[in-house]
Amino acid sequence: TTGTAACRRSVRKARSGSESMAARLFSALRQEVGERRGRAAQRQRLGRATDRDDERARIGEIGEHRIEARIWMAPGAHTTYLAWRLLPQSEPPEHPLSLRVTLLANNRDHHGTTEAGAFAPDIAVEDGRLVLTDAGQFGLTIRAPDGTIVPRCDWYRDFTLPVEAERGLESTDSHLCIGEVTLPLAPGQWRGIVASLDGDAPSDLDAALARRLEHDREIVATATAGSPAMHDPPPWIARLALAAD
């Protein structure tokens, strides 16, 4: 009887130990699954923050038509992209649509102003590219994939700068119109402008935007991966990380 009782206690202890180990394993597994789900949810949130909620994206309406506009710079390059896309709708446009963009240029620092005539660059169109050169200081190349560029040389005068006026600084500015771009719009297709100090920059707007968004995702992931406090960051953290890039 004593041996049987001892055997039963041993069996109960073994079962208890096995159940305790199984509980710990289950708890660890549940924690790992939870962490994986949390990381996946975080990647999804960061994707939304850098893709759909991107502050470079704007939606405008012209009558019944909705147009998405974006502006971004190529990582590591002196190249800026401006792009517009006619969003698809239930009925196609009855008439062809196009967007006309006026190109204004200047050559001054952030706090300066320019008087009409003070900025006199050379303006030329070469092989569908508008090239602006300012007395050997820099050369700006502007391209409009699938669009047309017409050079101009007209001054747009007397821009009022209210913040500078509040600070007691010179508050009237002028810009030189160097050309006009006409972009035919098609549903779901990007049309835009590539402006670069690096000469002939890549002109594929879809590929350039994809590179920019991938770069942004990497920046945000790096910024949030190094701290436990960033396990569930609010959207403004992504915007702050991108602003600091």
Side-chain angles (χ1 to χ4, degrees), residues 89-168:
Q89 54 193 49
S90 57
E91 296 292 335
E94 294 182 4
H95 307 286
L97 301 177
S98 63
L99 180 68
R100 186 175 65 183
V101 181
T102 300
L103 304 176
L104 302 181
N106 214 318
N107 182 18
R108 58 169 176 78
D109 62 31
H110 180 69
H111 299 289
T113 58
T114 299
E115 295 182 357
F119 177 47
D122 294 327
I123 304 170
V125 173
E126 305 171 356
D127 299 326
R129 301 168 299 176
L130 188 146
V131 180
L132 180 148
T133 306
D134 184 21
Q137 296 185 31
F138 68 88
L140 177 66
T141 300
I142 301 175
R143 302 176 64 185
D146 300 310
T148 58
I149 302 180
V150 176
R152 287 181 55 186
C153 188
D154 301 318
W155 280 96
Y156 281 38
R157 307 166 186 264
D158 300 331
F159 285 84
T160 300
L161 308 176
V163 175
E164 281 72 7
E166 292 177 1
R167 296 173 178 174

Side-chain angles (χ1 to χ4, degrees), residues 25 53 71 76 92 137 166-167 189:
L25 289 174
D53 298 335
I71 178 171
Q137 296 185 31
E166 292 177 1
R167 296 173 178 174
Q189 298 182 21

Side-chain angles (χ1 to χ4, degrees), residues 174-203:
S174 299
H175 302 288
L176 180 63
C177 174
I178 60 173
E180 285 188 348
V181 174
T182 301
L183 303 168
L185 298 178
Q189 298 182 21
W190 288 109
R191 296 287 188 268
I193 301 167
V194 184
S196 179
L197 296 177
D198 299 332
D200 284 334
S203 60

Side-chain angles (χ1 to χ4, degrees), residues 21-32:
M21 181 178 295
R24 289 196 298 269
L25 289 174
F26 179 74
S27 177
L29 179 60
R30 184 170 54 186
Q31 181 178 358
E32 175 65 21

Side-chain angles (χ1 to χ4, degrees), residues 197-225:
L197 296 177
D198 299 332
D200 284 334
S203 60
D204 187 326
L205 299 176
D206 292 274
L209 180 57
R211 288 192 296 270
R212 179 73 235 190
L213 293 177
E214 179 61 27
H215 172 82
D216 289 353
R217 281 189 286 268
E218 293 176 358
I219 291 295
V220 175
T222 300
T224 58

